[in-house]
Amino acid sequence: MPFEGTIGVRAVNTATDLNAIRVTNLAATPTSPAQTVLSPINGKRNQLDWLPSLTLKLRPTDQIVLRAVAGKAILRPQFAALNPAISQVETGATGNQGFYGTASGGNADLRDVKSTNIDLTAEWYFSRTGSFTVAGFYKKLDGYIQSDSAAEQLVASNGTLQTFLVTRPRNTSGGQLKGVEISYTQFYDFLPGPLSGF
């Protein structure tokens, strides 16, 4: 019963040096015109991740292959999600639910998404041109990125610090992703005439 396996680990060091200008677009209010406020953002981060992986393959027969894969991975935030620009709309002290206004933008403080992955696959090659495969997967996620609204302190057009309801991409605490994939492939080379090989 042929058996193969591969085990390894990758060391990934991510060094981030962020120097940007936050662009805050303030909408016009009854007491002030629309304006743009620029403020510097500086941030440094150095993160070392160890990413182990294990791959196993077993062939109980010539037609059947069993595979198991386990490992850890990271996914960096998309560049657009890190954009520090913010757009604010002020409603004043009488704003909805006690907020001075609303705002939206990117998030320069996003962390990498980390995942622990397990994949199990059974493959049946019932002919030279056909196969049937069933695969199950499970991913445990940490820091999954999704858009969310939360209260934040921002500088209003009058120069004071106010509480806004800000929508931006944020890291969540965690989650799971699991499922099953089924695939079937076959060339119908036994059919007659022009249908052969369909």
Side-chain angles (χ1 to χ4, degrees):
M1 191 177 295
F3 178 80
E4 299 176 23
T6 304
I7 187 170
V9 64
R10 287 190 302 142
V12 180
N13 187 73
T14 305
T16 304
D17 189 0
L18 176 66
N19 296 292
I21 300 296
R22 173 172 286 153
V23 181
T24 305
N25 298 310
L26 302 176
T29 66
T31 58
S32 62
Q35 56 183 308
T36 300
V37 178
L38 305 179
S39 54
I41 295 177
N42 300 297
K44 292 181 180 292
R45 184 176 58 144
N46 196 322
Q47 180 176 317
L48 177 63
D49 291 292
W50 295 95
L51 306 176
S53 64
L54 172 66
T55 302
L56 301 175
K57 183 172 78 169
L58 180 67
R59 297 186 69 111
T61 70
D62 291 339
Q63 291 80 32
I64 296 177
V65 179
L66 304 178
R67 302 179 193 270
V69 179
K72 291 188 175 183
I74 58 172
L75 176 66
R76 295 186 177 90
Q78 295 184 359
F79 184 76
L82 296 169
N83 185 353
I86 292 181
S87 295
Q88 294 179 208
V89 177
E90 299 183 4
T91 55
T94 59
N96 185 29
Q97 298 178 352
F99 295 109
Y100 196 80
T102 59
S104 62
N107 186 351
D109 297 321
L110 286 176
R111 296 178 286 107
D112 295 339
V113 180
K114 297 182 178 181
S115 68
T116 301
N117 314 308
I118 299 175
D119 294 86
L120 302 174
T121 306
E123 305 167 3
W124 175 35
Y125 298 91
F126 53 82
S127 72
R128 293 179 59 250
T129 60
S131 66
F132 180 77
T133 302
V134 177
F137 62 89
Y138 171 82
K139 296 179 184 292
K140 182 178 179 183
L141 303 170
D142 179 29
Y144 185 76
I145 298 173
Q146 67 180 36
S147 184
D148 186 34
S149 299
E152 293 186 26
Q153 296 290 310
L154 300 176
V155 177
S157 57
N158 59 11
T160 62
L161 203 60
Q162 300 290 344
T163 301
F164 285 77
L165 183 63
V166 182
T167 302
R168 64 169 86 232
R170 305 176 193 273
N171 291 103
T172 61
S173 58
Q176 298 178 358
L177 181 65
K178 54 189 173 182
V180 175
E181 300 173 354
I182 300 176
S183 64
Y184 162 73
T185 303
Q186 183 176 5
F187 288 94
Y188 294 96
D189 49 8
F190 53 85
L191 295 176
L195 295 178
S196 179
F198 174 76

